[in-house]
Amino acid sequence: AQSVTQPDIHITVSEGASLELRCNYSYGATPYLFWYVQSPGQGLQLLLKYFSGDTLVQGIKGFEAEFKRSQSSFNLRKPSVHWSDAAEYFCAVGTNNNDMRFGAGTRLTVKP
Amino acid sequence: EAQVTQNPRYLITVTGKKLTVTCSQNMNHEYMSWYRQDPGLGLRQIYYSMNVEVTDKGDVPEGYKVSRKEKRNFPLILESPSPNQTSLYFCASSLWGGPNNEQFFGPGTRLTVL
C-alpha cells in the first residue's frame, strides 16, 4: 500500500541556517510527490511537486526538493531559513486510486 | 479570487446532534475531497468526488456522509457525531482526479464533539 513517512516530528533550526526535511515514500509505480506547508491556523499551500524529469525541483519561497528513486526519498531543502518559515510541512504522494496520501508532518521551529 | 471556502470555521457540538460542514470552490474543479487532520497522523482522506453525483470512500469514511449535487459544493455530513470525530477538517479541490493534480485546500473547520 502507498504510504509516506516523515521521520522527524519536530525540527528546530536557527534563522539563517540551512534546512532539510526528510520524506520517504512507499509506492510501487512512478510516484507523484508533493510538499505542502501549513502555517498556523491556515490551510495547506503547495510548495512544490515532482512528476517526472529533473529530479531536483524548485518551489516557492526558496524551497527545493530532490527525488531519489534509489532511496525512495523526496527531501525538502532550503539554504537559509527565515523566521516566517516556521510552520508544519507535509509530504504527500498521489496515487492511481485518485487519493493523496500524506505523511504525519514535520513541525519546524525557527530560533532567532 | 480563486478559493475553497468552508463553513463554519469552528464548531462545538454534542454527541448525536447532526451537523453539516459546507465546502464550496469557485475554480470549476471536477475533483473534491475531505480530509481530517489529527496530531501525529497527518491528513487522512474521508471521502472524495471525481465529479457531480460520483463519490467514493477514502481511508476513514466511517461516521461520515457526503453528497455532490453540484460541481462547486461538497458538504460533509455527520449524522450522529461522536467525540472521536473531534478533529480539524479540510476540504480540497483539484481540476481533475488522478495522482498528478495539485489540490487546493480550504482554511479548515475545527470541530469539537462533547
Side-chain angles (χ1 to χ4, degrees):
Chain A
Q2 304 89 349
S3 66
V4 177
T5 302
Q6 293 179 247
D8 305 305
I9 296 173
H10 184 205
I11 284 182
T12 300
V13 300
S14 297
E15 189 167 18
S18 64
L19 171 70
E20 182 169 26
L21 302 182
R22 297 183 291 164
C23 173
N24 294 98
Y25 68 90
S26 172
Y27 188 56
T30 301
Y32 299 88
L33 296 162
F34 304 80
W35 273 101
Y36 283 86
V37 61
Q38 183 182 28
S39 298
Q42 304 294 316
L44 278 72
Q45 180 185 22
L46 182 70
L47 284 175
L48 48 78
K49 58 189 176 186
Y50 171 77
F51 296 157
S52 63
D54 192 348
T55 56
L56 184 64
V57 294
Q58 303 296 321
I60 62 171
K61 305 184 180 187
F63 285 91
E64 65 179 27
E66 185 171 12
F67 171 62
K68 293 184 178 180
R69 184 184 298 276
S70 62
Q71 298 178 19
S72 297
S73 69
F74 188 56
N75 294 350
L76 182 71
R77 302 195 294 248
K78 186 169 184 177
S80 178
V81 169
H82 187 262
W83 64 265
S84 61
D85 293 324
E88 188 148 21
Y89 292 80
F90 292 93
C91 182
V93 60
T95 78
N96 286 325
N97 292 328
N98 300 311
D99 64 357
M100 183 173 283
R101 297 294 175 92
F102 285 83
T106 298
R107 185 160 61 91
L108 174 64
T109 297
V110 181
K111 293 191 302 184
Chain B
E1 180 190 354
Q3 59 183 345
V4 179
T5 58
Q6 298 178 226
N7 282 291
R9 294 288 312 277
Y10 302 90
L11 179 60
I12 301 175
T13 189
V14 295
T15 299
K17 186 176 181 182
K18 180 179 178 179
L19 66 91
T20 299
V21 183
T22 65
C23 173
S24 182
Q25 49 90 9
N26 62 1
M27 296 171 278
N28 202 36
H29 283 172
E30 301 283 344
Y31 180 93
M32 297 186 75
S33 180
W34 276 103
Y35 296 87
R36 61 177 289 172
Q37 182 182 9
D38 301 290
L41 297 177
L43 279 78
R44 293 177 293 167
Q45 192 174 47
I46 302 170
Y47 270 95
Y48 64 93
S49 170
M50 295 291 288
N51 210 329
V52 175
E53 301 291 1
V54 179
T55 63
D56 276 298
K57 296 177 180 179
D59 288 332
V60 288
E62 294 76 21
Y64 304 94
K65 287 175 58 177
V66 293
S67 69
R68 187 92 182 273
K69 299 189 188 313
E70 311 163 273
K71 183 182 276 193
R72 64 183 294 126
N73 296 323
F74 191 45
L76 179 69
I77 303 156
L78 283 71
E79 296 267 1
S80 183
S82 62
N84 65 11
Q85 294 178 297
T86 293
S87 187
L88 180 58
Y89 291 86
F90 288 100
C91 180
S93 72
S94 64
L95 189 58
W96 305 105
N100 59 344
N101 285 284
E102 173 191 354
Q103 294 192 33
F104 295 82
F105 284 81
T109 296
R110 185 166 293 281
L111 172 65
T112 301
V113 183
L114 302 175

